[in-house]
């Protein structure tokens, strides 16, 4: 039975279907689109390094396991997924983040065949000591590539400075040491726990036939029992772990990030926080703010400056990214702006302008099948209604932003700096 | 603004791949415009002053070849009127872009090997191959896709998946300059192996050709990507912007029409034309050459 979910804001109808095995499928046919994208996602990311299934024994796995598993899932005994997708010409890829793993393809023809390929590989893991060992060198190279990237290092160090216990502080791909401990048993244990129907979602957008999707899903996603996977609670203190983290590596000018530690309550509240903090930080520190004009005029920041909000399952921090010779001076100015703004907040007119900008950016996400499929997946993984992000942006009001400004603690921040010798 | 331009130029060092490409170009394209970084050098930027910047701006308005692209749900009549009015106020004498656009880069008599060092963990390898002969544009594109431009390419399947030598290994053919650039991130101990593996794949294609399956897979992948372009106004604009320097102003569908005529023998002939020109390595100071 397919449920139709009409969204008033984007005026589209998302179709929701739950397979017999319990996998939830969200579909948005897009008239006029020549392409379609399908994504299958599991609520399993780098921060899921400790878990129990149905209240059983707690299992600890090495950092980087979710990412390692993602690398291996496109292999089978006979062929790999890339070779099969090459027969149809579809574009395919996968990715792991802190709190999820996604596998996806995009195509203009042979959609049902491509979906069949995607689901058959994700449902049939094939891990052997040999193929796991072969991947270690490749993933090792990926880890060292990111180790050489100052933008990634400054961000990871920021997270490590904000959180002392939350496993979001660990590198998504793990370390050379941690991946050396991953075996085919580790991968099977995690696959069996997390790749279960209650923890997986399929999203489809673009030019496709929903009946075909349902037919392929029932064929490929049968079997498997819904399992309840839980994580032991993390006793993360309210305050940041470190006020400052520094790293020396070759960069032209110091790059830095400032993160404000905020509380993550639940997915719905976090989404509202995400929208309101985005608008707030844009108004205080964005391109059109006095702050940006002043700091740029003084040469303390340059056009690399950007405010944003990082959020996921169990973590939330509005942040600022910049480049300049005196990051500490910028931090002081940022803290002063927060203090002063509590007495003299941004006007409602500014809020409305930036709300439109935030909303407009989200409307653009509905232009292409790839971004629609991603947006549907983000909502599904958080157990939120399919168009919840744009709905939250539309519903956001000035008082929401002022509440976030009031609760913002300019002392509960971490600054992460990467500088040259 | 000058300080920010200098920041942008200097910050290339933050991206090791871009830094390697910039340094490699100094040798691979020595004496040619391509040897220069895209934003110019730090020294060039230092010399800019308000008078010289304004003069350059006036020259650009007067002699620059201007292309305006628009795509989306409009007939753009209003936009056309606005642009026409704005440019009519200027004295213009635009320089013509030569068609066909060719700027071949001369193949060196002997390959040149360059190694730069800096604090880093992974090494970056860039191998430049060139030819002094004309290249059939569409076969060149297909060669690039089969060699290192798709997920079942020779580089991906043989160098990354089978030999586990790298996380990324790819290539870009450039018909204008008759250059093939191959690049990979590798462990320092595997630099030579990776270089030899890249050249072995090119040699294999030049001697034995490509399989029918490889040719068909490459065509299918390109067909899919060109078909999807019409879903996005920005993709279409990007496509046509790229056509300006190619010399032929054709649609993605027309382009694919030419691609579909490419044969396995065309691809083999292209591979056989290329010879090694420059091998560049960026690696850690702690490693031996």
């Amino acid at each position: 039975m397919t449920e139709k979910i009409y969204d008033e804001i984007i005026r589209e109808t998302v179709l929701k279907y739950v397979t017999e095995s319990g996998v939830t499928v969200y579909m948005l046919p897009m008239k006029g689109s020549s392409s379609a994208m399908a994504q299958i996602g599991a609520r399993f990311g780098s921060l899921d390094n400790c878990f129990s299934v149905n209240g059983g024994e707690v299992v600890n796995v090495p950092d980087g396991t979710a990412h390692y598993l993602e690398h291996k899932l496109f292999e089978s005994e006979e062929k790999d997924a890339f070779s099969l997708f090459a027969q149809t010409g579809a574009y395919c890829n996968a990715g792991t983040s802190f709190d999820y793993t996604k596998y996806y393809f995009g195509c203009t023809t042979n959609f049902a065949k491509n979906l069949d390929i995607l689901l058959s590989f994700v449902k049939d893991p094939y891990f052997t000591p040999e193929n796991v060992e072969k991947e270690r060198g490749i993933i090792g190279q990926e880890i060292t590539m990111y180790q050489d990237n100052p933008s990634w290092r400054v961000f990871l160090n920021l997270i490590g400075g904000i959180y002392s216990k939350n496993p979001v502080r660990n590198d998504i791909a793990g370390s050379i040491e941690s991946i050396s401990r991953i075996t085919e048993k580790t991968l099977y244990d995690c696959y069996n726990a997390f790749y279960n129907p209650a923890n997986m979602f399929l999203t489809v957008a673009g030019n496709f036939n929903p009946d075909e999707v349902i037919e392929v899903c029932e064929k490929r996603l049968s079997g498997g029992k819904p399992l309840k996977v839980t994580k032991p609670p993390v006793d993360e203190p309210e305050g940041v772990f470190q006020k400052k983290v520094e790293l020396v590596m070759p960069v032209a000018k110091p790059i830095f990030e400032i993160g404000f530690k905020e509380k993550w309550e639940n997915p719905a509240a976090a989404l509202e926080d995400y929208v309101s903090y985005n608008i707030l930080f844009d108004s205080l520190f964005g391109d059109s703010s006095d702050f940006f004009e002043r700091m740029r005029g003084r040469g303390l920041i340059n056009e690399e400056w950007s405010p944003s909000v990082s959020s996921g399952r169990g973590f939330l921090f509005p942040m600022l990214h910049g480049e300049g010779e005196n990051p500490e001076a910028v931090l002081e100015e940022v803290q002063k702006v927060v203090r002063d703004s509590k007495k003299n907040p941004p006007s409602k007119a500014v809020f409305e302008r930036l709300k439109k900008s935030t909303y407009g950016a989200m409307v653009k996400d509905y232009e292409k099948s790839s971004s629609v499929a991603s947006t549907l997946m983000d909502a599904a993984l958080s157990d939120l209604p399919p168009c919840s992000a744009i709905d939250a942006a539309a519903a956001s009001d000035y008082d929401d932003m002022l509440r976030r400004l009031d609760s913002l603690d300019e002392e509960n921040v971490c600054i992460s700096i990467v500088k040259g010798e | 603004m000058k300080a920010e331009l200098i920041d942008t130029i200097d910050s290339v060092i933050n991206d090791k791949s871009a830094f390697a490409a910039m340094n490699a170009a100094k040798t691979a394209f020595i004496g040619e415009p391509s040897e220069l970084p895209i934003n110019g050098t730090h020294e060039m930027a230092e010399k800019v002053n308000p008078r010289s910047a304004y003069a350059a701006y006036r020259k650009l308005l007067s002699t620059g070849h201007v292309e305006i692209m628009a795509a989306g749900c409009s007939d753009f009549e209003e936009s056309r009127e606005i642009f026409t009015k704005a440019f009519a106020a200027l004295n213009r004498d635009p320089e013509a872009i030569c068609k066909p656009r060719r700027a071949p880069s001369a193949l060196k008599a002997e390959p040149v090997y360059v190694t730069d060092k800096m604090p880093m963990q992974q090494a970056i390898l860039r191998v430049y191959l060139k030819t002094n002969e004309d290249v059939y544009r569409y076969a060149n594109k297909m060669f690039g896709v089969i060699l290192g431009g798709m997920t079942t390419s020779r580089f991906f399947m043989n160098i990354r998946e089978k030999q586990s030598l790298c996380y990324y290994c790819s290539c870009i053919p450039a018909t204008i300059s008759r250059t093939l650039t191959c690049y990979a991130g590798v462990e320092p101990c595997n630099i030579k192996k990776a270089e030899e593996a890249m050249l072995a794949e090119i040699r294999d294609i030049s001697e034995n050709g490509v399989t029918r399956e490889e040719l068909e897979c490459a065509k299918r992948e390109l067909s899919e990507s060109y078909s999807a372009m019409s879903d996005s106004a920005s993709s279409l604009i990007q496509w046509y912007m790229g056509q300006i320097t190619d010399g032929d102003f054709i649609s993605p569908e027309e382009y694919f029409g030419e691609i579909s005529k490419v044969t396995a023998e065309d691809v083999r002939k292209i591979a056989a034309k290329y010879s090694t020109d420059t091998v560049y390595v960026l690696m850690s100071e702690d490693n031996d050459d």
Side-chain angles (χ1 to χ4, degrees):
Chain A
M1 179 75 173
T2 307
E3 184 188 342
K4 291 183 181 177
I5 304 171
Y6 178 71
D7 185 82
E8 293 281 347
I9 302 295
I10 60 161
R11 285 176 277 167
E12 293 277 5
T13 302
V14 176
L15 307 173
K16 178 182 175 183
Y17 177 81
V18 181
T19 68
E20 282 208 29
S21 57
V23 176
T24 306
V25 183
Y26 290 100
M27 300 175 273
L28 180 53
M30 294 165 66
K31 226 189 291 188
S33 173
S34 38
S35 61
M37 172 163 277
Q39 293 194 1
I40 183 157
R43 250 192 303 246
F44 179 41
S46 63
L47 53 78
D48 298 301
N49 58 0
C50 178
F51 59 90
S52 79
V53 180
N54 288 344
E57 190 187 318
V58 172
V59 177
N60 287 286
V61 294
D63 291 337
T65 298
H67 175 251
Y68 210 117
L69 201 163
E70 175 235 302
H71 265 244
K72 295 317 302 172
L73 214 55
F74 269 175
E75 265 186 60
S76 77
E77 208 165 348
E78 295 90 30
K79 253 190 167 171
D80 61 85
F82 298 118
S83 303
L84 290 179
F85 279 121
Q87 306 295 319
T88 64
Y91 162 78
C92 66
N93 212 334
T96 306
S97 188
F98 298 108
D99 52 358
Y100 64 77
T101 309
K102 291 180 191 174
Y103 306 82
Y104 50 90
F105 73 86
C107 66
T108 62
T109 57
N110 295 305
F111 179 81
K113 190 172 177 185
N114 287 318
L115 182 63
D116 192 70
I117 295 170
L118 178 76
L119 299 186
S120 68
F121 274 90
V122 173
K123 275 300 280 179
D124 275 318
Y126 175 69
F127 313 131
T128 66
E130 294 75 28
N131 75 17
V132 169
E133 190 54 40
K134 182 210 70 142
E135 205 68 28
R136 223 179 295 281
I138 296 169
I139 294 177
Q141 284 305 299
E142 187 177 353
I143 290 171
T144 51
M145 182 184 79
Y146 279 106
Q147 288 288 305
D148 284 336
N149 183 331
S151 295
W152 178 249
R153 297 295 294 276
V154 77
F155 178 62
L156 200 62
N157 283 355
L158 177 70
I159 302 177
I162 292 174
Y163 298 100
S164 58
K165 300 220 169 57
N166 191 323
V168 70
R169 73 194 311 278
N170 303 322
D171 201 330
I172 293 170
S175 66
I176 301 290
E177 186 280 322
S178 72
I179 67 168
S180 71
R181 292 184 274 120
I182 295 173
T183 65
E184 76 278 12
K185 183 181 181 308
T186 319
L187 299 183
Y188 273 120
D189 285 347
C190 288
Y191 179 87
N192 292 332
F194 288 98
Y195 284 69
N196 78 75
N199 210 42
M200 292 178 70
F201 302 87
L202 175 72
T203 62
V204 186
N207 180 19
F208 67 95
N209 182 335
D211 291 333
E212 276 185 348
V213 171
I214 292 170
E215 191 183 325
V216 175
C217 284
E218 288 302 351
K219 176 185 162 197
R220 289 293 181 189
L221 297 179
S222 60
K225 276 188 313 190
L227 301 171
K228 192 167 159 96
V229 188
T230 50
K231 291 165 59 61
V234 173
D235 186 20
E236 177 66 41
E238 262 194 45
V240 292
F241 179 44
Q242 291 170 268
K243 294 273 190 182
K244 183 158 132 179
V245 183
E246 277 188 310
L247 174 68
V248 173
M249 63 187 292
V251 286
K253 252 186 181 175
I255 59 173
F256 59 92
E257 292 188 343
I258 298 165
F260 289 68
K261 189 171 188 174
E262 292 298 320
K263 204 167 173 168
W264 186 94
E265 303 272 4
N266 58 62
L271 179 56
E272 287 173 13
D273 283 334
Y274 174 84
V275 169
S276 291
Y277 277 122
N278 251 316
I279 298 172
L280 174 64
F281 268 52
D282 242 345
S283 67
L284 296 178
F285 306 113
D287 291 0
S288 58
S289 67
D290 288 337
F291 174 90
F292 182 67
E293 183 90 26
R294 255 185 316 110
M295 294 293 108
R296 214 171 159 198
R298 285 168 59 183
L300 286 175
I301 61 175
N302 58 25
E303 61 187 3
E304 291 301 310
W305 178 256
S306 65
S308 62
V309 179
S310 264
S311 167
R313 185 168 23 104
F315 65 93
L316 172 75
F317 54 95
M319 56 177 277
L320 302 159
H321 173 96
E323 189 181 87
E325 294 294 353
N326 198 342
E328 289 88 348
V330 177
L331 173 60
E332 276 177 30
E333 291 292 332
V334 164
Q335 289 169 313
K336 184 169 184 302
V337 163
V338 172
R339 274 192 301 270
D340 292 348
S341 298
K342 289 183 194 222
K343 297 173 221 154
N344 199 15
S347 70
K348 193 164 183 195
V350 166
F351 165 80
E352 290 296 341
R353 176 170 53 81
L354 293 170
K355 173 179 167 174
K356 274 186 198 154
S357 162
T358 300
Y359 175 79
M362 289 188 180
V363 168
K364 272 203 74 182
D365 283 344
Y366 287 89
E367 180 193 42
K368 283 168 36 166
S369 56
S370 50
S371 48
V372 172
S374 281
T375 301
L376 291 175
M377 180 57 72
D378 290 344
L381 289 167
S382 300
D383 281 330
L384 291 172
C387 304
S388 47
I390 198 166
D391 291 351
S396 146
D397 68 31
Y398 184 53
D399 288 338
D400 292 332
M401 189 191 80
L402 292 181
R403 257 198 309 280
R404 267 72 179 194
L405 175 57
D406 275 340
S407 68
L408 202 59
D409 181 355
E410 71 275 10
E411 295 302 324
N412 200 18
V413 298
C414 170
I415 182 166
S416 166
I417 303 171
V418 169
K419 59 185 186 182
E421 304 251 22
Chain B
M1 293 310 296
K2 180 168 148 177
E4 289 198 357
L5 173 61
I6 291 173
D7 281 351
T8 302
I9 291 168
D10 291 347
S11 70
V12 71
I13 198 173
N14 298 0
D15 178 344
K16 304 294 180 294
S17 293
F19 187 61
M22 183 189 77
N23 286 349
K26 291 176 189 170
T27 304
F29 304 113
I30 188 167
E32 302 168 25
S34 297
E35 76 172 325
L36 292 173
I38 200 159
N39 289 314
T41 65
H42 185 116
E43 294 69 30
M44 285 172 169
E46 285 284 13
K47 288 181 186 159
V48 173
N49 57 55
R51 193 181 293 273
S52 67
Y54 185 67
Y57 173 61
R58 293 302 317 186
K59 185 179 174 191
L60 187 68
L61 285 182
S62 164
T63 63
H65 182 93
V66 178
E67 297 271 356
I68 299 170
M69 307 273 171
C73 47
S74 168
D75 66 359
F76 300 106
E77 259 319 301
E78 198 179 340
S79 310
R80 188 199 302 271
E81 282 167 23
I82 292 169
F83 279 115
T84 304
K85 193 174 166 189
F87 278 93
L90 301 171
N91 285 328
R92 298 236 330 127
D93 186 19
E95 291 170 0
I97 289 183
C98 307
K99 285 182 182 186
R101 185 97 172 83
R102 293 287 181 264
S105 182
L107 171 65
K108 296 179 182 64
E110 290 293 328
V112 171
Y113 295 83
V114 176
T115 300
D116 283 332
K117 294 190 177 183
M118 66 183 295
M120 59 194 287
Q121 297 189 41
Q122 191 181 59
I124 295 174
L125 168 67
R126 292 182 72 85
V127 179
Y128 293 79
L129 298 99
K130 294 180 189 172
T131 174
N132 285 330
E133 303 171 41
D134 260 342
V135 289
Y136 173 27
R137 174 186 180 191
Y138 301 103
N140 204 28
K141 172 72 179 179
M142 284 289 285
F143 172 51
V145 170
I146 293 169
L147 183 67
M150 58 181 183
T151 43
T152 50
S153 70
R154 292 285 184 106
F155 281 359
F156 185 87
M157 298 307 276
N158 295 341
I159 301 181
R160 173 180 144 147
E161 292 295 298
K162 285 190 183 147
Q163 300 179 63
S164 300
L165 282 177
C166 53
Y167 171 63
Y168 70 90
C169 184
S170 196
C171 71
I172 305 172
T175 300
I176 289 174
S177 59
R178 296 180 191 153
T179 306
L180 176 71
T181 307
C182 306
Y183 54 94
V186 296
E187 274 188 273
C189 59
N190 285 329
I191 293 169
K192 200 63 192 166
K193 253 194 206 171
E195 180 198 336
E196 282 165 2
M198 286 175 177
L199 297 177
E201 294 299 334
I202 295 168
R203 202 162 42 243
D204 183 65
I205 293 177
S206 73
E207 289 168 8
N208 303 311
V210 296
T211 65
R212 190 177 153 183
E213 190 180 347
E214 281 177 312
L215 195 73
E216 294 307 315
C217 283
K219 287 182 181 176
R220 263 193 297 269
E221 186 156 318
L222 289 173
S223 170
E224 285 283 326
S225 78
Y226 296 144
S227 299
M229 266 186 206
S230 58
D231 282 352
S232 160
S234 49
S235 298
L236 279 174
I237 286 181
Q238 212 170 348
W239 167 264
Y240 283 106
M241 282 289 193
Q243 294 290 293
I244 297 170
T245 46
D246 274 353
D248 295 323
F249 217 74
I250 60 176
S251 68
E253 293 76 21
E254 286 168 315
Y255 187 91
F256 182 71
E258 295 301 322
I259 286 278
S260 59
K261 295 174 192 167
V262 171
T263 65
E265 179 59 13
D266 291 332
V267 175
R268 190 200 65 74
K269 282 181 184 165
I270 290 282
K273 288 182 194 246
Y274 283 109
S275 300
T276 307
D277 179 275
T278 305
V279 178
Y280 175 88
V281 173
L282 181 67
M283 62 193 282
S284 165
E285 297 155 333
D286 300 333
N287 293 116
D288 296 328
D289 288 14

